[in-house]
């Protein structure tokens, strides 16, 4: 197996401009070599902020290009940086008090004042740089604030009925502020505040029987919040809140490193699926360890994550992970490098250890998304062919169908006009579907709309040829316009990483059937038939985000032709109640699976070629049609596919028709 190591990646990155994969000690500012600490990182992971210490401290901005540079006057601490790396927030010692500041690449250093309080501290900044949040102190009070360039400092108040204590730690691009505040008993509780809404700040609650919680970081879209909360035993644990309606759901504990006693989450990726922070092993330990948590995979110590993706961490002890890039691949914080006493800020980037075979299998799994899209139209286009029997005149029917294997649902409405020996129908509705797990647990979800129409004619009646009585010809067409949300998993060393993206999909299906409906006995009929079906499906190109192996995915197109022969049996049990059964032998001919490729920046293109294949399977079905009155008909059906190399397992559907 060919492995792309972090050393190889660094070589290609040097020529392509991509960030290299390793751990970099950010060093120290001159005269401040007693320690350095990084607290936040830009969206793309190219810039970090913090401070370097001596008898006082000095704020720094670190970039890939310029290294560590000082910003602001003496005794300055930088806590947060905007997504584009152009705006920094923090606080400094201003003559006789501490005061919040904002620094921008274009305008330089700006003190924010204290709005009548004694001191001010800036703790967080929105990714778009529009909001700065923190706390004001004075006269026995601590109060959260938000600052904007046009409105200055705005006080956020306290929890309703709580004590005069609130601190803001972060803010979303849309103005959702988070932090911590005290309730009347003195217990601390996490809060959020929507700047667009009136009223006081809102508590985020506690874990069951807990009495402490704090919110530390929020995604730019405000979809997720991370922080910490105590359980019934008083142990503080890293937690996450997910946006609901209204507000946020209850805190959930991040599944952690085995044996950790204390933990807190300090940073979160843009999609809310990756968090970083610190933990301690055992209840009485005083030694911190940095961690990285990922939804679905749980937490790893930072050294485990880095070594698992091919990064050499020799000499490093990681203590605190404070900030994370939007895609979760770059982490900043501080620890020890070849020193038991001196803390040093670091920036850590995942290495890439991609096995060629494994990664190509991951790419090839994307072909299943195209196959699912095709299967949706094929199954439902067949079911959509009308019969000459049914409610006469105009009728409106509500349609629902569910297919398992790759689970999917279809709903909609059909309008049908039926005369003796003839019927024509048309309609549309909604589609929702998801694949069975792709490679390494990846997934795809499809949602969108369908539109279709069909007609059937008894040739004996249409051609006025009694010899053809019972010979029915049907044709139909269906189009689907869908959105696909795809999470493609792959192995990066021992770690499963996810490359996600959204794209559009279109599918068009035509079907033609000839059936001969014959009476077997009073109330019983059989209809042998032959059918041809064609489907064309296109999945648009898109760009993935997340993980070291995300890339640009090519467009895919696939075509399928299916011939079927079978028979349908109808038996009228009593007036208004009919039982149906059916069997079909299906053969997929001339099927062309889509070719797909993923171009990963700095690593090249991985391709899975298209393939031609055939498949044979059997369909067995049954149903009930009930007419409680002349203008109402209820149809239910179930079918099972067996013997296929691409089984859809079973389908259940229902239709309620109302005569007009």
């Amino acid at each position: 197996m060919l492995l792309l190591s972090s050393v190889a990646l660094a070589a290609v990155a040097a020529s392509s401009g991509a960030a290299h994969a390793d751990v970099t000690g950010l060093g120290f500012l001159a005269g401040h070599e007693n320690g350095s600490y990084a607290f936040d990182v830009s969206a793309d992971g190219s810039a970090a902020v913090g401070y370097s210490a001596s008898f006082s401290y000095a704020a720094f901005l670190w970039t890939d290009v310029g290294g560590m540079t000082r910003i602001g006057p003496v005794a300055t601490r930088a806590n947060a940086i905007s997504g584009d790396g152009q705006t920094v927030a923090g606080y400094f010692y201003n003559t006789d008090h501490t005061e919040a500041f904002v620094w921008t690449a274009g305008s330089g250093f700006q003190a924010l004042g204290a709005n009548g309080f004694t001191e001010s501290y800036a703790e967080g900044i929105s990714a778009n740089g529009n909001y700065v949040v923190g706390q004001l102190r004075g006269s026995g009070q601590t109060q959260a604030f938000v600052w904007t360039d046009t409105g200055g400092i705005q006080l956020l108040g306290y929890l309703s009925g709580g004590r005069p204590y609130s601190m803001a730690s972060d803010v979303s691009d849309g103005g959702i502020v988070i932090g911590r505040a005290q309730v009347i008993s003195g217990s601390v509780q996490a809060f959020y505040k929507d700047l667009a809404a009136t009223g006081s700040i809102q508590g985020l609650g506690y874990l069951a029987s807990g009495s402490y919680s704090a919110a530390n970081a929020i995604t730019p879209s405000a979809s997720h919040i991370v922080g910490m909360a105590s359980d019934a035993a008083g142990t503080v644990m890293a937690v996450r809140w997910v946006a609901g309606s209204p507000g946020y759901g209850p805190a959930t504990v991040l599944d952690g490193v085995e044996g950790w006693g204390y933990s807190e989450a300090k940073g979160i990726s843009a999609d809310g699926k990756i968090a970083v922070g610190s933990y301690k092993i055992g209840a009485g330990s005083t030694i911190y360890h940095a961690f990285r948590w990922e939804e679905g995979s749980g937490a790893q110590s930072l050294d485990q994550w880095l070594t698992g993706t091919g990064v050499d961490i020799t000499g490093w002890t990681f203590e605190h992970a404070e900030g994370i890039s939007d895609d979760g691949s770059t982490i900043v914080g501080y620890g020890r490098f070849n020193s038991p006493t001196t803390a040093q800020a670091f920036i850590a980037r995942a290495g890439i250890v991609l096995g060629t075979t494994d990664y190509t299998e991951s790419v090839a799994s994307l072909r299943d998304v195209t196959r699912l899209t095709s299967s949706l139209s094929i199954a439902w286009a067949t079911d959509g062919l009308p019969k000459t029997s049914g409610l006469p005149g105009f009728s409106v029917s509500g349609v629902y169908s569910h297919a398992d294997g790759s689970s999917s649902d279809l709903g909609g409405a059909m309008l049908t006009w039926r005369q003796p020996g003839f019927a024509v129908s048309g309609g549309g509705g909604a589609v929702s579907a998801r694949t069975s797990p792709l490679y390494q647990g990846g997934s795809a979800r499809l949602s969108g709309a369908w539109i279709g129409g069909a007609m059937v004619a008894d040739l004996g009646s249409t051609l006025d040829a009694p010899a053809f009585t019972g010979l029915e010809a049907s044709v139909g067409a269906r189009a689907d316009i869908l959105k696909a949300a795809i999470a493609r998993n792959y192995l990066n060393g021992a770690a499963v990483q996810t490359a996600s993206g959204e794209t559009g999909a279109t599918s068009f299906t035509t079907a033609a059937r000839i059936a001969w409906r014959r009476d077997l006995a009073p109330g019983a009929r059989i209809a042998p038939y032959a059918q041809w079906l064609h489907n064309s499906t296109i999945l648009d190109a898109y760009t993935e985000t997340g993980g070291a192996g995300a890339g640009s995915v090519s467009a895919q197109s696939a075509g399928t032709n299916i011939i079927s022969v079978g028979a349908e049996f109808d038996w009228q049990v009593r007036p208004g109640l009919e039982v149906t059964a059916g069997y079909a032998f299906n053969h997929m001919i001339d099927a062309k699976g889509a070719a797909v490729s993923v171009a990963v920046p700095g690593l090249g293109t991985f391709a899975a070629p298209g393939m031609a294949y055939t498949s044979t399977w059997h369909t067995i079905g049954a149903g009930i049609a009930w007419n409680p009155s002349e203008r109402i008909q209820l149809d239910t059906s179930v079918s099972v596919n067996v013997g296929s190399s691409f089984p859809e397992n079973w389908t259940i559907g229902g239709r309620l028709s109302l005569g007009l």
Side-chain angles (χ1 to χ4, degrees):
M1 180 183 294
L2 173 64
L3 298 182
L4 302 175
S5 69
S6 60
V7 175
L9 178 62
V12 297
S15 60
S16 67
H20 57 279
D22 60 11
V23 179
T24 300
L26 303 190
F28 311 92
L29 292 173
H32 296 270
E33 292 89 358
N34 289 353
S36 61
Y37 308 82
F39 298 107
D40 200 9
V41 65
S42 61
D44 65 359
S46 65
V49 293
Y51 72 87
S52 190
S54 57
F55 62 92
S56 65
Y57 41 86
F60 69 77
L61 169 66
W62 181 94
T63 65
D64 277 327
V65 177
M68 182 182 286
T69 57
R70 182 170 178 166
I71 57 175
V74 298
T76 304
R77 168 172 165 156
N79 290 325
I81 189 170
S82 60
D84 62 5
Q86 299 298 299
T87 307
V88 178
Y91 51 84
F92 72 108
Y93 188 72
N94 187 1
T95 309
D96 60 355
H97 68 281
T98 301
E99 188 172 336
F101 77 86
V102 169
W103 177 94
T104 60
S107 303
F109 191 89
Q110 178 183 356
L112 302 186
N115 200 49
F117 284 71
T118 304
E119 298 180 318
S120 60
Y121 301 79
E123 304 287 352
I125 190 170
S126 59
N128 59 17
N130 291 342
Y131 301 99
V132 172
V133 296
Q135 56 184 294
L136 303 170
R137 296 180 184 176
S139 302
Q141 301 181 51
T142 298
Q143 185 168 175
F145 77 84
V146 61
W147 176 92
T148 62
D149 187 43
T150 55
I153 287 179
Q154 174 187 343
L155 302 178
L156 299 183
Y158 310 107
L159 285 171
S160 180
R163 293 188 175 186
Y165 174 92
S166 61
M167 303 169 61
S169 56
D170 202 6
V171 57
S172 72
D173 282 349
I176 305 296
V177 183
I178 62 165
R180 69 191 75 180
Q182 278 186 329
V183 300
I184 192 62
S185 67
S187 297
V188 173
Q189 183 176 160
F191 78 80
Y192 76 95
K193 165 66 176 175
D194 185 349
L195 296 178
T198 58
S200 60
I201 61 179
Q202 302 295 308
L204 286 168
Y206 304 105
L207 294 174
S209 301
S211 60
Y212 172 83
S213 63
N216 293 329
I218 188 170
T219 60
S221 66
S223 62
H224 297 77
I225 299 169
V226 292
M228 50 191 173
S230 63
D231 63 7
T235 302
V236 174
M237 297 180 290
V239 297
R240 182 176 69 157
W241 291 268
V242 179
S245 181
Y248 290 84
T252 57
V253 177
L254 303 187
D255 40 333
V257 176
E258 183 177 354
W260 71 3
Y262 167 95
S263 61
E264 59 177 315
K266 300 298 290 293
I268 188 168
S269 61
D271 62 6
K273 295 181 179 181
I274 304 174
V276 295
S278 305
Y279 69 95
K280 294 186 285 189
I281 296 294
S285 175
T286 59
I287 300 174
Y288 286 92
H289 307 270
F291 75 83
R292 181 185 186 271
W293 173 91
E294 187 163 0
E295 185 178 281
S297 302
Q300 291 179 296
S301 64
L302 194 58
D303 54 353
Q304 288 176 320
W305 176 66
L306 289 169
T307 54
T309 58
V311 176
D312 182 4
I313 63 168
T314 302
W316 276 102
T317 300
F318 303 106
E319 297 177 343
H320 294 271
E322 297 282 335
I324 186 170
S325 62
D326 275 2
D327 66 0
S329 66
T330 303
I331 297 169
V332 298
Y334 53 95
R336 316 276 170 173
F337 181 66
N338 290 333
S339 171
T341 57
T342 303
Q344 183 173 174
F346 67 80
I347 185 166
R349 295 177 172 119
I352 299 183
V353 184
L354 300 181
T356 302
T357 301
D358 291 331
Y359 195 83
T360 301
E361 287 184 24
S362 169
V363 173
S365 71
L366 292 173
R367 295 183 303 205
D368 282 344
V369 183
T370 310
R371 188 182 68 82
L372 172 63
T373 308
S374 174
S375 297
L376 296 177
S377 287
I378 289 172
W380 289 322
T382 301
D383 294 341
L385 293 178
K387 298 180 180 179
T388 55
S389 61
L391 296 179
F394 280 106
S395 68
V396 176
S397 60
V399 182
Y400 172 77
S401 183
H402 172 80
D404 198 28
S406 292
S407 294
S408 51
D409 294 283
L410 172 144
M414 298 287 291
L415 180 64
T416 302
W417 177 59
R418 184 176 281 108
Q419 294 295 314
F422 179 80
V424 60
S425 64
V431 177
S432 174
R434 61 180 177 83
T435 62
S436 298
L438 303 179
Y439 182 74
Q440 291 292 334
S443 65
R445 293 185 177 274
L446 300 171
S447 59
W450 64 274
I451 186 171
M455 63 177 294
V456 59
D458 182 297
L459 297 182
S461 301
T462 304
L463 302 176
D464 194 20
F468 290 158
T469 298
L471 191 64
E472 296 177 353
S474 308
V475 292
R478 169 192 166 99
D480 294 78
I481 302 175
L482 307 171
K483 181 178 73 174
I486 304 169
R488 179 179 61 86
N489 285 1
Y490 59 92
L491 288 176
N492 186 0
V496 177
Q497 293 190 335
T498 301
S500 302
E502 291 189 354
T503 187
T506 55
S507 188
F508 184 72
T509 305
T510 55
R513 175 187 290 192
I514 189 76
W516 190 29
R517 197 168 299 278
R518 307 297 294 171
D519 292 332
L520 295 178
R525 294 183 301 173
I526 190 170
Y529 68 87
Q531 178 179 286
W532 168 84
L533 183 147
H534 173 75
N535 171 263
S536 296
T537 295
I538 296 175
L539 194 70
D540 297 335
Y542 65 99
T543 300
E544 300 170 319
T545 60
S552 298
V553 181
S554 66
Q556 304 174 56
S557 60
T560 303
N561 287 288
I562 300 172
I563 56 173
S564 303
V565 292
E568 294 178 342
F569 175 77
D570 302 324
W571 176 39
Q572 189 176 39
V573 179
R574 59 178 176 80
L577 182 64
E578 186 176 80
V579 175
T580 64
Y583 165 80
F585 173 83
N586 311 284
H587 180 61
M588 184 181 294
I589 59 173
D590 191 30
K592 295 181 174 61
V596 60
S597 64
V598 177
V600 182
L603 293 180
T605 299
F606 298 79
M611 59 181 183
Y613 52 86
T614 61
S615 181
T616 299
W617 70 98
H618 309 272
T619 302
I620 303 170
I624 297 175
W626 178 44
N627 291 83
S629 74
E630 293 182 354
R631 294 188 177 275
I632 299 176
Q633 179 169 320
L634 177 64
D635 296 273
T636 60
S637 63
V638 62
S639 64
V640 179
N641 291 340
V642 294
S644 171
S645 56
F646 299 104
E648 290 301 324
N649 296 338
W650 58 270
T651 301
I652 184 170
R655 184 189 304 263
L656 175 64
S657 301
L658 303 173
L660 302 179

